[in-house]
Amino acid sequence: MSEYLLEVKNLKKYFKTKKGPLCAVDDISFGIRKGETLGVVGESGCGKSTAGRAILRLHEPTAGEILFNGENIVNYNQRQMKEMRKKMQIVFQDPYSSLNPRMSVQALIGESLRVNGIGKNDKEREDQIRHVMDVVGLEERLINSYPHELDGGRRQRIGIARALILNPEFIVMDEPVSALDVCIQAQILNLLGKLQDQFDLTYMFISHNLSVVKHISDRIAVMYLGKIVEIADSAEIFKNPRHPYTQALLSSIPIPKVNLKRERIILEGDVPSPVNPPAGCRFAGRCRHAMPICKEVCPELKQCGNSQVACHLYDEK
């Protein structure tokens, strides 16, 4: 039996465009253990959100395998996926646009119960809704409120409650705090940690904010232009980043100490087009360590010390 609750093998997601296929996610593989949080970071457009949605089959994968509890769900039909969605949920980035403004808090959270036929009657479903509202910190008096009447933090708590009410095992967190104020971000992150411990949840936490990912993640995967370039434990990534792109990302984190000096790695050049990505390493055109082989051969994700890294710098090590 696999050690992973979720295992992704050679996942690809291409979108058709007039100029050719756009390689949003291009041959990525990783696993997430039960009860673990895998943080996924990278610049905007690197494919991290597309990867999360492809795993849930909100975007149909172009190729690859998605193993959940050892079963490949890529070929599941609509009926099978309806059952699977009780176990796999998502919390979206924008807590306002992801909520129907014409539905009350009770209707928004209870929609999943209605669609899946859970609960013997309206009274039982309302009791479940009130319970999950209490769990995520939503006041009971808000049950008949509408999204426009609430602040961003409460809206995101509705999104979390909506995902949680079906008792899932795995939740994709697609930048769940990026649209919130800093003080509200901390509250939501603490809530997610508490819920994970309470319900033994497994998270895929997508974000561009490295400080947030460090706070909540057990392991971190770094993506660049549709590829995973490094995976390691959270502490290892921040202590000993190996890939040049990871090093550049970490050097951009502000330091709250006036006299502390650290090398700032400035990336030059533009990100290549995902419609026509380079043949070799996709980071080669912006990498200060680039070698001739980097522009010819795409590096594989290999074990290097305590990390997995896709970089020719470590081929001989």
Side-chain angles (χ1 to χ4, degrees):
M1 186 174 178
S2 174
E3 62 176 310
Y4 298 112
L5 173 70
L6 176 80
E7 192 169 6
V8 175
K9 296 182 178 180
N10 307 112
L11 180 66
K12 298 180 180 180
K13 176 57 187 174
Y14 298 166
F15 294 98
K16 293 181 180 179
T17 71
K18 294 180 180 179
K19 296 182 179 180
L22 187 152
C23 306
V25 176
D26 198 5
D27 198 15
I28 65 172
S29 300
F30 61 88
I32 309 178
R33 300 178 184 89
K34 185 172 180 60
E36 181 183 45
T37 297
L38 176 71
V40 183
V41 300
E43 295 172 281
S44 295
C46 70
K48 54 189 186 294
S49 292
T50 302
R53 295 179 186 219
I55 288 169
L56 299 179
R57 286 186 58 190
L58 298 180
H59 294 318
E60 287 297 334
T62 303
E65 297 180 34
I66 302 165
L67 305 177
F68 190 84
N69 280 324
E71 296 186 16
N72 186 5
I73 68 171
V74 168
N75 297 320
Y76 273 19
N77 59 33
Q78 190 173 2
R79 179 184 59 80
Q80 290 172 309
M81 278 308 301
K82 183 178 179 181
E83 287 299 310
M84 183 56 63
R85 295 197 195 287
K86 297 177 185 178
K87 303 177 182 179
M88 307 171 73
Q89 285 289 310
I90 185 170
V91 175
F92 294 99
Q93 176 178 0
D94 186 345
Y96 189 65
S97 64
S98 63
L99 301 176
N100 187 333
R102 297 185 177 185
M103 295 175 70
S104 67
V105 172
Q106 179 173 351
L108 287 165
I109 298 175
E111 180 75 357
S112 299
L113 299 178
R114 185 189 65 78
V115 169
N116 289 281
I118 298 174
K120 297 178 182 178
N121 50 52
D122 291 343
K123 177 63 169 62
E124 184 174 310
R125 283 190 283 270
E126 184 175 331
D127 289 342
Q128 289 181 263
I129 292 166
R130 290 181 184 275
H131 172 69
V132 80
M133 285 179 65
D134 181 59
V135 168
V136 302
L138 278 171
E139 301 93 327
E140 189 173 318
R141 63 182 175 81
L142 300 176
I143 193 166
N144 293 315
S145 300
Y146 289 83
H148 73 273
E149 299 174 313
L150 307 175
D151 59 31
R154 287 191 176 96
R155 290 173 193 156
Q156 195 58 292
R157 289 174 193 267
I158 296 171
I160 295 169
R162 184 172 59 177
L164 201 63
I165 200 165
L166 292 177
N167 296 314
E169 297 179 51
F170 171 70
I171 303 179
V172 173
M173 297 286 177
D174 188 6
E175 305 216 33
V177 297
S178 64
L180 307 177
D181 294 337
V182 174
C183 60
I184 305 299
Q185 286 186 13
Q187 293 175 18
I188 296 298
L189 290 174
N190 291 335
L191 172 65
L192 295 178
K194 185 185 79 171
L195 295 175
Q196 186 171 36
D197 294 338
Q198 185 175 349
F199 298 104
D200 197 22
L201 297 171
T202 304
Y203 293 151
M204 178 178 175
F205 192 95
I206 299 165
S207 179
H208 63 273
N209 189 324
L210 285 158
S211 299
V212 168
V213 170
K214 180 182 181 182
H215 175 77
I216 199 169
S217 302
D218 299 300
R219 290 188 301 132
I220 296 175
V222 182
M223 286 190 69
Y224 184 81
L225 202 65
K227 293 278 192 181
I228 290 179
V229 297
E230 186 168 359
I231 303 179
D233 289 345
S234 179
E236 181 69 19
I237 283 274
F238 281 84
K239 179 182 177 182
N240 185 26
R242 295 180 179 273
H243 196 280
Y245 177 62
T246 309
Q247 294 168 1
L249 279 182
L250 294 181
S251 78
S252 68
I253 300 176
I255 302 176
K257 294 182 181 180
V258 176
N259 297 321
L260 184 61
K261 294 184 179 180
R262 180 181 63 184
E263 181 187 9
R264 176 72 170 92
I265 302 173
I266 306 297
L267 295 179
E268 299 180 355
D270 298 322
V271 180
S273 170
V275 176
N276 187 26
C281 175
R282 298 186 176 184
F283 187 62
R286 307 174 74 192
C287 181
R288 58 180 179 170
H289 302 293
M291 302 174 289
I293 191 175
C294 298
K295 296 184 178 181
E296 299 172 3
V297 180
C298 184
E300 297 181 8
L301 194 66
K302 297 179 180 178
Q303 195 69 35
C304 181
N306 296 322
S307 306
Q308 287 180 283
V309 60
C311 182
H312 291 300
L313 285 172
Y314 305 99
D315 284 351
E316 303 301 322
K317 299 181 180 180

